[in-house]
Amino acid sequence: MKVKEKLAKDHYNLPTGKNGRDDEELILWFLKDRRFEVDEAILKLTKAIKWRKEFGVSDITEQSVRRAAATGKSYVHDSLDVNGRPVLIVVPSKHIPEMYDRLEDERLCVFLLEKALSKLPDGKEEILGIFDLRGFGLKNSDLSFLTFLFDVLYYYYPRRLGQVLFVDAPFVFQPVWQLAKPLVKSYASLDAHSMCLTI
C-alpha cells in the first residue's frame, strides 16, 4: 500500500491497470526483487513502467513480429519443463544480426518473454531459457543484442528467468561466452551459476 500511495502521489502520470502503477502483483514482484526496500522498488518499478509504455510492449502482437519469428530463431515451447516452468528456446545459429532491423529482434524478444510469462502456472514465477548452440558461428554473435537482453531481464523482468541452459556449445562459442560473462556478473539479479554451459 505504501508503494501504491507513493506512486499515486509522485508518479500519477504513469498508466494504471495491468502492468501499471496500481498493479499489486507487479508491485509485489518488484518489492521482492529489491528485498522490500520501498524506495528502491519504486525507482526500479517506475523505470520499468515507463519503458513498457515507450517501447510499446502492449502493442506488440504475434502479427507484428511475424517476420522475425518466421526465422525460428526463438520461440516458446508448447510444453512446460519438468519443474513446471514455461520454456523459451533460442537458436542462435538462425540469428544473423544484419538480416533484420535490430528493433524487430528486440520486439520479438519482448513478445516471447511476455508470452512465456503468460503461460506461468499458479505458484510458478520463473521461466527456463534454453540456448540450442548447434551450428553457432561467429556470424551469429551479437553482443549488442545480448546487452539489450541483459538490460531487459535485469531492469524490466527481474528474476523471471530462473535458469539458462547452453546446449552443445561449439568451441567458437567460448570466446563469445568469455565476453558475455562480465555482463552477466554486472547485474545483481542475474546469477551466473544459473547459467549452465553443456558441451
Side-chain angles (χ1 to χ4, degrees), residues 97-168:
E98 59 272 11
M99 186 177 290
Y100 292 100
D101 182 272
R102 181 177 163 180
L103 183 58
E104 285 187 78
D105 289 326
E106 292 176 356
R107 288 170 68 83
L108 175 64
C109 170
V110 171
F111 173 79
L112 292 175
L113 281 171
E114 290 281 319
K115 183 176 180 178
L117 291 172
S118 74
K119 295 180 65 172
L120 282 171
D122 290 342
K124 297 295 180 180
E125 299 178 329
E126 298 175 336
I127 65 176
L128 169 68
I130 297 179
F131 282 69
D132 179 354
L133 290 162
R134 287 173 294 183
F136 177 86
L138 287 179
K139 70 179 186 299
N140 308 119
S141 60
D142 190 349
L143 283 178
S144 64
F145 183 76
L146 274 180
T147 302
F148 166 80
L149 177 61
F150 291 148
D151 278 348
V152 164
L153 292 173
Y154 176 73
Y155 291 111
Y156 314 129
Y157 298 91
R159 300 183 186 274
R160 289 301 199 179
L161 191 61
Q163 187 177 26
V164 176
L165 303 177
F166 295 112
V167 180
D168 286 343

Side-chain angles (χ1 to χ4, degrees), residues 19-74:
N19 294 311
R21 63 176 168 81
D22 59 347
D23 184 333
E24 292 186 2
E25 186 179 336
L26 186 70
I27 289 170
L28 178 59
W29 189 260
F30 276 82
L31 276 168
K32 287 194 293 186
D33 173 60
R34 295 292 89 193
R35 297 176 178 83
F36 290 88
E37 291 288 336
V38 169
D39 290 336
E40 287 186 26
I42 287 174
L43 189 66
K44 196 166 180 180
L45 180 58
T46 53
K47 180 174 181 171
I49 294 173
K50 287 175 183 175
W51 170 81
R52 291 183 69 88
K53 184 178 180 183
E54 290 164 7
F55 195 80
V57 174
S58 60
D59 299 324
I60 303 175
T61 63
E62 193 159 357
Q63 180 65 21
S64 70
V65 296
R66 180 173 50 88
R67 205 168 78 102
T71 63
K73 67 175 78 179
S74 190

